[in-house]
Amino acid sequence: MLTLDKIYHAKFVLKQVARKTDLIAATRLCPGTDLYLKTENLQVTGSFKVRGAYYKISQLSAEERAKGVIACSAGNHAQGVALAATRMGIKSVVCMPDGAPIMKVESTKRLGAEVELVKGTYDDAHDRAVELQEQTGMTFIHPYDDELVIAGQGTIGLEILDQLPDVDAVIVPIGGGGLISGVAFAIKSLRPEVKIYGVQAAGAPSMEHAFHDHKYETLDSAVTFADGIAVKTPGETTFDMVSQYVDEIVTVSEDEIAAAILALMENQKLVAEGAGATPVAAALFGKLPLAGKKTVCLISGGNIDVNILSRVITRGLVMSGRKTNLMIALEDKPGQLSLVSDIVSACGANVVSVHHDRSDANMAITSCFLKLGLETRDAAQIETIKQKLTEAGFKLVTERA
């Protein structure tokens, strides 16, 4: 049974390995909201996961240590297990889904773990890890559905209360539920009036469904670029704790997560992975009642693959009205491109790409499509450009797939 004493003991044990990450005011991020960021993306290994993994492994017996540990992970728990086991001189094996970011796979290997890539999702990696555990007798280090792991994650709740004693609300990402279970238990045990909100990706809402349906359930699939929370089945222990201690769970879309990642980079100079940005996405897009509340967004990790980051930035620019594509039907005659260019320039936008298409079978023989890629200030500027083009007699066309 989880107790506050265990979380305090975990805090003592973790002093030798985990950072007490900064809590910073985010005054520029969400105007009108008193927002703070708990920066676990700056934790050793780039994620909160080292807390639970290290504390769990530190409590193993000598016999258990001799047999080694095994885990399953999309990447962050893998790195926490690898670091903890290596520091304690224990063999570690980690099963990871074959779609895990390359950076997380390589980092896990560098930290000393043996990695087995498993075809499929996190849940498939979990099944393989359980199979290997039965064959080898190694101790399975569950990423979230374990009392000691939850206790380790709960140390973040103690830190938040220490750093912002008058906090009113905390927003926490949810995958399997270990992080929010620990944080909620710690905070509610000491300050029961504080609101604890959970956030999941809309493509992987396992705990959100279970929470609102009041029953433990499994999704058919979990599809999101926020790989750290792409979980089809929440933990049984964590589901019970979330049901008891969490006030509300909401979901955010892929575009909203991308916009949050971009906002954190531009306004706070912080790099967050998809899962870590979900609390900020919930705040930015008004998913929760935060008015008048001192609110902490828990940025759970920053281990995002550079290739994914590039795509996320592009998506975030589109979502925030900083980038757009327009397709215009034109008469194919001299001067048309110049007229369009003059209008775009007068509105203050920057043209970054131009494609002149005469080949579409649906257009008149004397017509063409002009496809423009633009850099813009915001959505309002995009609408102004569209309005000016329409007023000038140009026809805007919805681009076909």
Side-chain angles (χ1 to χ4, degrees):
M1 180 179 177
L2 183 63
T3 64
L4 200 55
D5 283 345
K6 283 183 180 174
I7 297 177
Y8 275 107
H9 182 249
K11 181 180 178 181
F12 174 77
V13 170
L14 290 171
K15 281 183 179 180
Q16 58 190 308
V17 63
R19 296 172 183 153
K20 182 178 181 179
T21 52
D22 291 336
L23 185 76
I24 60 176
T27 53
R28 298 174 57 194
L29 197 59
C30 192
T33 304
D34 197 2
L35 208 63
Y36 299 80
L37 307 176
K38 178 61 172 169
T39 54
E40 284 295 295
N41 56 316
L42 304 180
Q43 186 57 264
V44 294
T45 73
S47 163
F48 76 95
K49 286 285 192 177
V50 69
R51 296 175 183 259
Y54 193 94
Y55 184 57
K56 170 67 177 179
I57 293 172
S58 74
Q59 302 305 296
L60 297 180
S61 66
E63 182 181 354
E64 288 170 325
R65 292 184 180 212
K67 291 181 179 179
V69 296
I70 188 165
C72 57
S73 171
N76 288 334
H77 180 61
Q79 293 174 75
V81 168
L83 182 147
T86 300
R87 285 204 178 189
M88 297 180 209
I90 301 170
K91 178 184 177 181
S92 60
V93 176
V94 180
C95 296
M96 302 177 72
D98 59 356
I102 295 172
M103 179 189 73
K104 292 183 179 182
V105 174
E106 294 304 314
S107 294
T108 303
K109 291 178 180 177
R110 281 197 301 272
L111 288 167
E114 176 185 327
V115 174
E116 178 175 333
L117 295 178
V118 180
K119 186 175 178 61
T121 65
Y122 160 81
D123 298 85
D124 300 300
H126 171 272
D127 293 342
R128 175 58 178 160
V130 170
E131 180 184 336
L132 288 175
Q133 188 275 330
E134 292 172 351
Q135 294 173 4
T136 63
M138 303 173 89
T139 298
F140 181 59
I141 309 300
H142 201 286
Y144 50 83
D145 209 26
D146 181 281
E147 181 184 290
L148 296 179
V149 170
I150 294 170
Q153 323 306 25
T155 59
I156 299 173
L158 299 181
E159 291 179 11
I160 289 172
L161 291 179
D162 181 51
Q163 293 166 315
L164 191 68
D166 56 345
V167 61
D168 295 309
V170 181
I171 312 176
V172 187
I174 303 179
L179 176 59
I180 197 169
S181 293
V183 169
F185 181 86
I187 292 177
K188 290 283 191 179
S189 295
L190 297 169
R191 293 263 326 274
E193 73 278 11
V194 175
K195 296 294 184 182
I196 305 294
Y197 300 125
V199 190
Q200 290 203 289
S206 53
M207 188 70 83
E208 189 264 348
H209 283 189
F211 180 81
H212 290 117
D213 293 342
H214 305 290
K215 63 179 182 179
Y216 184 76
E217 54 190 271
T218 298
L219 299 175
D220 293 330
S221 63
V223 182
T224 173
F225 80 88
D227 56 278
I229 53 174
V231 177
K232 291 192 290 187
T233 306
E236 294 184 24
T237 299
T238 57
F239 169 64
D240 290 339
M241 294 187 69
V242 165
S243 298
Q244 184 174 354
Y245 296 107
V246 174
D247 294 284
E248 179 61 286
I249 299 175
V250 297
T251 63
V252 288
S253 70
E254 301 292 278
D255 284 345
E256 289 167 342
I257 297 171
I261 291 173
L262 183 61
L264 283 166
M265 291 180 66
E266 282 202 307
N267 296 303
Q268 301 299 143
K269 315 310 173 192
L270 291 173
V271 176
E273 61 187 271
T278 55
V280 173
L284 285 177
F285 292 95
K287 302 298 178 94
L288 293 163
L290 304 180
K293 295 186 178 77
K294 283 192 174 182
T295 302
V296 173
C297 290
L298 204 170
I299 312 301
S300 59
N303 294 320
I304 186 168
D305 186 90
V306 174
N307 293 321
I308 294 294
L309 181 59
S310 175
R311 293 183 229 168
V312 165
I313 290 173
T314 299
R315 185 71 68 88
L317 289 170
V318 172
M319 267 296 289
S320 59
R322 304 280 297 281
K323 185 174 184 177
T324 192
N325 295 311
L326 298 179
M327 186 157 71
I328 307 164
L330 298 177
E331 288 185 65
D332 193 10
K333 64 182 183 180
Q336 294 290 88
L337 178 57
S338 176
L339 290 172
V340 171
S341 179
D342 287 345
I343 292 171
V344 171
S345 176
C347 291
N350 183 41
V351 178
V352 294
S353 67
V354 178
H355 181 66
H356 189 261
D357 183 8
R358 291 191 178 107
S359 63
D360 195 305
N362 295 309
M363 73 177 82
I365 292 176
T366 57
S367 298
C368 66
F369 285 140
L370 178 66
K371 300 177 183 179
L372 297 181
L374 305 179
E375 288 179 342
T376 48
R377 285 191 302 270
D378 51 33
Q381 188 184 35
I382 294 171
E383 289 306 312
T384 299
I385 294 168
K386 289 180 177 180
Q387 180 183 341
K388 295 295 184 183
L389 287 169
T390 301
E391 289 173 356
F394 295 106
K395 182 181 178 182
L396 294 170
V397 180
T398 301
E399 191 165 358
R400 292 179 290 275

